[in-house]
Amino acid sequence: MVICIQNLMKSFHHRPVLDGVSFDVIKGDLFAIIGPSGCGKSTLLRCVNGLESLDSGCAQVLGTELLSQDKIGHKEFQRRSLKVRQKVGMVFQSFNLFPHLTILENITVAPKVVNKISDSDAIKKAQELLLKVGLADKADHYPNQLSGGQQQRAAIARSLAMSPEILLYDEPTSALDPALVNEVLRVMKQLDQEGMTQVVVTHEMRFARDVADKIIFMDQGQIVEMGASDEIFGNPKDERTKNFLRHFQ
Amino acid sequence: MNKIYFLISLVCGIHIACAAPKLRWGADVESGAPFSYVSPEDQSVIGFEAEIVELLAKEMGMEVEHVQNSWDGLIEGLKRGDYDIIVNGVEITADRAEVVRFSRPYYYTAEALTVRKSTFDIAGLKDLKNRKVGTLDASLAQKILKEQPFPISVVGYDEEINIYSDLAIGRTDAALLDEPIALYYAKPNIDLKLVGGPIGYMEYGMVTRLQDEEFNARVSKALDKLIQDGSIQLILERWNLWNAMTAKAWGKNAKPRTPPVAYDEYIKKTWKKTTIKERLIKYASFLPMLLKGAAMTLELSIISMILAMILGLGTTLCRLYGHPVLKWLALVYVEIFRGTPLLIQLYLIFYGLPHVGLNLEPFVAAIIGLGLNYGACEAENYRAGILSIPKTQMDASQALGMNWYQSLRYIILPQAFRVVIPPVTNDFIALLKDSSLVSIISMVELTAVYGQLASNSFDYLGLGVVTASVYFLIGLPFVRLSRHFENQMMNSASKGSVSRSWLTGFLSRR
């Protein structure tokens, strides 16, 4: 198990957003999280790599335990989060590329600064990754010169440059034109085949049904139903799940 | 080889031992005629007191060194130790004698009342009831006016020339000031006339610190000799200042034996009407002095700005990311230095700190004053700049495993830099202009030079335009430079050219 979430609780201004969430992720899985807006999916993802602190419970990621700051203190939480983030990458809904750097520099900045990789090694790896995501000719362009789909693929390449063991995706295609969605999903499928562990918060039901190994359906901060993709899509047990999937079916 | 070094150091040592000690004397040379003022020819300090000080120094075996300070800050400067003696027409009064020490008197005179030629209802002090009367701040004349048993609207000035020019144009009804000053500023003016006889009686003394009893005694002894051998009388005669009161005090004849050559020279140089061409030539001759002042202004501004930027960045980082105590300190610093006038901050640093033991040189005090004040402005600029970068950028850099410092250094600050260039350049131009304020803590920069030249050549308007142009011109390159940077960054980021400004390259360099 690479991720083990136990009884995670998180509130914003006394409003509970995560209300006792528990699940495990096995190495190599593509884990999809679906649910209506506001159910806490993004917050859950951000708790996994410590971008959000948790109020109680435990998020154990690749052997590092992220606990509430009351238990371990602010400094220790930051230290452990940093450790996690160096092995866990994240891809955001709005890409969040660095606008003042070229695509190539976007990809090489973290390996050079964090892992102290040499200039030439970092550039070589970046070029391989660009080739992999189909952006070899865009190395010297700036983010605002690329289409949405291209930017998201560049963001994935940027995360891959740190050689992560897990990739987290926060609605990676929600901000894209339908025409551009597929090019991103294609990359994710490819990574899945190569054995990358991926946790994806998504509204792309077809992708979740066809590619994901396990699905979680969340509503109002709790896991309503969890299981293999054909179970959830073929035979939903809970009323809320049925309701939600009705729009898709 | 060693022998040569030994010889050289021996010679230097002997030279240093033989070099005369310096007689540092303080005086305000702005509007300083006839006491001490800047010669329009070679910018040296001339005047009857300047000449007396030269003689005094020679008599005491010392070398002169003049230190400029404004008239109303003279005694403060003496106490601070910026100079050791004041020679600037300082009247010996009981009040002053409590805080400083006076030498024996070297001149005796009285106040003179001046009015416009067209005024006929003022002939003496008693006619000044309810009238507006101009005089010099912190002078005996001002005290006399304030002590009259009837109300007088006393207008205080810090420059002599303004007293008389305002009187001539009708802003005041009369002016009361020492006879020597009236002789040089009012008598030659065809719009003014002196009325009544000499008013009151005063003696000029040289001023030293209370604790310098021995030094003061040496000065008085030297003055005794110079008075006895007639050298001071000669100087006074040349400047048209030999009068009955002084003659009586020294037991000499009141009739001068030497023609007033210095006075005639002064009248010729400063009171004649000049043609446009002559004026332009005069301005051209002032340029070296103005440019020297401009160089100092630029130097002050650049160094202060660098200090301000460093302070600003540090303060912003404390305010945004620091420990709660640091956050609070940063906030207090910004609010205090933004909420109080720069002028007062400069006064406090230069004149106030010595009272708690911190005595700063004018240059250092100027840099610190300007740097602290503008540091607070920069802090606000940088805070706005950093906050304008979306939080998602920090999310992304952290998600890649970068720590707080790395995220700021490589991702946030380079972007914030572009955003803050316009307000920062604006602040620099403002700093350049605000640097003119340091003339009040006796820094001789562009505005101080303007003051000296204008007051001594009675030409505030023309020289004012020239000086303002110099300020404008030295600010111009920085405006152009900043626009250039902005365009470059805009081009590289939004228009999407492949080449990139060297500056963003420099900032993102590993």
Side-chain angles (χ1 to χ4, degrees):
Chain A
M1 269 180 316
V2 287
I3 302 180
C4 172
I5 308 291
Q6 279 170 357
N7 211 15
L8 201 58
M9 306 260 243
K10 170 87 187 171
S11 299
F12 282 120
H13 306 303
H14 307 295
R15 195 171 54 86
V17 172
L18 292 175
D19 203 6
V21 173
S22 306
F23 64 92
D24 299 331
V25 176
I26 302 176
K27 187 165 151 116
D29 266 359
L30 196 151
F31 208 89
I33 305 179
I34 60 176
S37 301
C39 67
K41 317 192 288 288
S42 286
T43 312
L44 176 59
L45 211 63
R46 290 164 70 91
C47 285
V48 173
N49 72 348
L51 280 183
E52 295 290 349
S53 59
L54 36 123
D55 294 340
S56 73
C58 165
Q60 196 187 64
V61 184
L62 294 169
T64 305
E65 267 192 348
L66 294 177
L67 303 166
S68 76
Q69 294 191 38
D70 291 338
K71 277 229 175 84
I72 56 176
H74 179 74
K75 254 209 166 111
E76 179 61 16
F77 181 82
Q78 297 296 345
R79 196 191 65 82
R80 293 188 191 184
S81 300
L82 194 64
K83 202 159 158 233
V84 167
R85 292 183 208 135
Q86 286 170 359
K87 290 275 113 213
V88 176
M90 191 165 202
V91 175
F92 300 86
Q93 180 175 354
S94 45
F95 333 132
N96 296 346
L97 290 173
F98 306 133
H100 63 298
L101 301 177
T102 60
I103 299 299
L104 190 73
E105 287 165 343
N106 259 272
I107 300 179
T108 57
V109 61
K112 279 159 83 165
V113 167
V114 179
N115 293 335
K116 314 274 192 261
I117 303 220
S118 78
D119 222 14
S120 46
D121 286 345
I123 293 182
K124 200 153 84 87
K125 174 131 193 234
Q127 284 166 340
E128 286 167 17
L129 288 169
L130 282 173
L131 195 59
K132 186 189 184 107
V133 302
L135 290 172
D137 56 337
K138 301 282 187 222
D140 288 325
H141 285 62
Y142 282 90
N144 66 355
Q145 293 172 281
L146 270 52
S147 74
Q150 290 168 332
Q151 287 189 52
Q152 194 62 296
R153 284 186 277 143
I156 296 176
R158 179 176 68 173
S159 296
L160 288 172
M162 290 295 284
S163 310
E165 293 176 39
I166 306 174
L167 269 181
L168 307 174
Y169 297 80
D170 191 356
E171 300 197 36
T173 55
S174 295
L176 294 176
D177 271 342
L180 303 171
V181 165
N182 277 325
E183 50 190 75
V184 175
L185 297 182
R186 207 175 307 133
V187 173
M188 291 164 72
K189 256 186 253 183
Q190 186 188 345
L191 288 171
D192 181 44
Q193 279 163 1
E194 290 170 4
M196 173 72 79
T197 313
Q198 299 175 86
V199 180
V200 187
V201 168
T202 184
H203 286 301
E204 292 295 322
M205 296 303 155
R206 209 165 306 131
F207 176 76
R209 187 193 59 190
D210 296 342
V211 185
D213 298 304
K214 272 216 199 58
I215 315 263
I216 283 182
F217 171 67
M218 274 182 78
D219 190 19
Q220 296 185 23
Q222 291 177 325
I223 295 184
V224 176
E225 229 174 295
M226 173 160 62
S229 104
D230 13 313
E231 272 179 46
I232 300 286
F233 281 94
N235 193 9
K237 295 189 182 50
D238 195 295
E239 262 321 297
R240 286 174 287 174
T241 323
K242 288 187 192 153
N243 269 332
F244 181 74
L245 292 177
R246 185 165 305 139
H247 303 290
F248 166 60
Q249 235 72 305
Chain B
M1 228 11 177
N2 286 335
K3 255 206 202 141
I4 297 183
Y5 284 140
F6 173 72
L7 276 173
I8 292 179
S9 21
L10 192 63
V11 169
C12 288
I14 292 176
H15 176 80
I16 289 171
C18 290
K22 290 244 189 273
L23 180 66
R24 299 181 308 160
W25 63 289
D28 184 357
V29 299
E30 267 191 54
S31 248
F35 305 90
S36 304
Y37 62 107
V38 178
S39 149
E41 241 89 85
D42 57 7
Q43 276 82 52
S44 63
V45 177
I46 60 177
F48 85 92
E49 283 179 335
E51 290 184 22
I52 293 181
V53 171
E54 287 267 3
L55 274 189
L56 183 74
K58 212 157 74 173
E59 180 67 24
M60 292 171 73
M62 298 172 94
E63 266 179 34
V64 280
E65 186 184 304
H66 167 254
V67 179
Q68 164 66 13
N69 200 356
S70 58
W71 162 255
D72 53 8
L74 278 176
I75 291 187
E76 270 304 308
L78 179 72
K79 284 184 178 165
R80 275 170 49 94
D82 295 338
Y83 33 84
D84 307 308
I85 189 169
I86 301 175
V87 184
N88 207 186
V90 183
E91 312 96 334
I92 300 178
T93 64
D95 284 346
R96 288 192 184 127
E98 281 176 15
V99 294
V100 290
R101 194 175 283 277
F102 281 103
S103 71
R104 62 143 303 149
Y106 58 92
Y107 188 61
Y108 307 74
T109 183
E111 310 285 0
L113 188 61
T114 313
V115 297
R116 282 183 296 282
K117 275 261 166 62
S118 53
T119 305
F120 293 103
D121 56 351
I122 297 182
L125 269 184
K126 52 181 170 37
D127 298 323
L128 296 178
K129 181 166 175 199
N130 290 325
R131 308 300 287 267
K132 277 215 188 106
V133 184
T135 185
L136 198 62
D137 267 332
S139 66
L140 185 58
Q142 192 180 45
K143 197 154 174 278
I144 292 176
L145 287 171
K146 292 211 162 127
E147 284 171 352
Q148 294 303 305
F150 42 82
I152 301 179
S153 177
V154 181
V155 186
Y157 292 79
D158 28 58
E159 295 305 332
E160 289 83 338
I161 178 184
N162 297 332
I163 299 173
Y164 294 100
S165 58
D166 266 9
L167 175 61
I169 61 179
R171 283 203 181 124
T172 51
D173 304 315
L176 184 74
L177 209 47
D178 312 23
E179 263 188 356
I181 301 176
L183 183 61
Y184 275 71
Y185 286 87
K187 206 133 185 282
N189 190 330
I190 52 170
D191 299 324
L192 302 176
K193 65 183 180 195
L194 272 67
V195 291
I199 296 173
Y201 172 78
M202 57 192 171
E203 304 171 346
Y204 290 158
M206 299 191 176
V207 189
T208 47
R209 289 178 285 268
L210 269 177
Q211 64 264 36
D212 293 341
E213 202 178 335
E214 199 251 320
F215 176 61
N216 191 55
R218 279 171 56 209
V219 169
S220 292
K221 190 150 166 274
L223 279 175
D224 283 336
K225 174 157 182 304
L226 291 171
I227 289 174
Q228 246 183 12
D229 68 17
S231 348
I232 295 194
Q233 176 174 354
L234 182 59
I235 294 176
L236 292 171
E237 286 178 355
R238 282 179 50 246
W239 289 88
N240 202 14
L241 296 173
W242 184 243
N243 59 13
M245 285 170 277
T246 312
K248 182 152 168 249
W250 296 348
K252 303 278 169 88
N253 195 328
K255 196 155 177 258
R257 293 160 308 177
T258 350
V261 281
Y263 179 70
D264 291 336
E265 183 70 13
Y266 165 81
I267 297 287
K268 194 166 72 141
K269 289 245 161 63
T270 37
W271 281 97
K272 64 179 181 128
K273 295 278 182 209
T274 43
T275 64
I276 300 278
K277 182 156 171 253
E278 283 173 325
R279 276 179 119 188
L280 287 177
I281 295 178
K282 193 164 61 147
Y283 294 160
S285 74
F286 286 158
L287 270 181
M289 250 187 115
L290 284 170
L291 289 177
K292 195 151 161 251
M296 175 56 86
T297 289
L298 210 52
E299 194 185 333
L300 277 172
S301 304
I302 291 179
I303 299 180
S304 306
M305 192 62 183
I306 293 177
L307 177 62
M309 287 167 80
I310 295 174
L311 270 176
L313 187 60
T315 306
T316 304
L317 292 179
C318 285
R319 197 138 166 226
L320 290 175
Y321 306 113
H323 190 272
V325 172
L326 281 179
K327 266 198 180 115
W328 181 83
L329 280 172
L331 184 66
V332 167
Y333 159 64
V334 170
E335 290 310 313
I336 289 185
F337 278 88
R338 272 200 321 170
T340 53
L342 175 58
L343 192 58
I344 294 189
Q345 291 163 18
L346 286 172
Y347 269 135
L348 278 174
I349 292 173
F350 190 66
Y351 286 117
L353 284 183
H355 291 282
V356 296
L358 190 61
N359 203 339
L360 295 167
E361 244 185 64
F363 187 78
V364 176
I367 303 280
I368 292 181
L370 289 168
L372 280 174
N373 184 289
Y374 275 81
C377 298
E378 291 312 288
E380 285 303 279
N381 280 339
Y382 301 162
R383 192 172 70 100
I386 293 179
L387 290 179
S388 77
I389 306 302
K391 185 174 173 294
T392 46
Q393 287 288 297
M394 191 59 140
D395 280 349
S397 61
Q398 288 194 307
L400 286 168
M402 289 199 249
N403 63 24
W404 171 85
Y405 167 75
Q406 290 159 340
S407 305
L408 272 183
R409 160 90 170 82
Y410 295 102
I411 306 302
I412 308 294
L413 290 181
Q415 293 182 61
F417 183 86
R418 187 206 312 174
V419 171
V420 305
I421 287 186
V424 169
T425 341
N426 223 40
D427 276 353
F428 180 71
I429 308 287
L431 179 70
L432 204 61
K433 291 182 291 173
D434 269 349
S435 70
S436 60
L437 287 174
V438 306
S439 52
I440 52 132
I441 58 171
S442 66
M443 273 304 300
V444 183
E445 38 65 70
L446 187 51
T447 294
V449 169
Y450 162 64
Q452 285 174 11
L453 293 174
S455 61
N456 285 321
S457 57
F458 295 2
D459 184 9
Y460 277 95
L461 187 57
L463 266 177
V465 172
V466 174
T467 309
S469 315
V470 177
Y471 268 110
F472 182 75
L473 287 172
I474 53 182
L476 216 49
F478 296 98
V479 177
R480 299 261 17 252
L481 197 68
S482 90
R483 235 174 257 154
H484 171 77
F485 278 143
E486 268 189 72
N487 285 335
Q488 274 230 304
M489 287 184 161
M490 260 196 341
N491 279 335
S492 73
S494 70
K495 287 211 201 134
S497 68
V498 178
S499 68
R500 192 181 32 162
S501 94
W502 66 271
L503 197 62
T504 5
F506 173 73
L507 288 167
S508 333
R509 190 186 52 164
R510 254 53 85 208

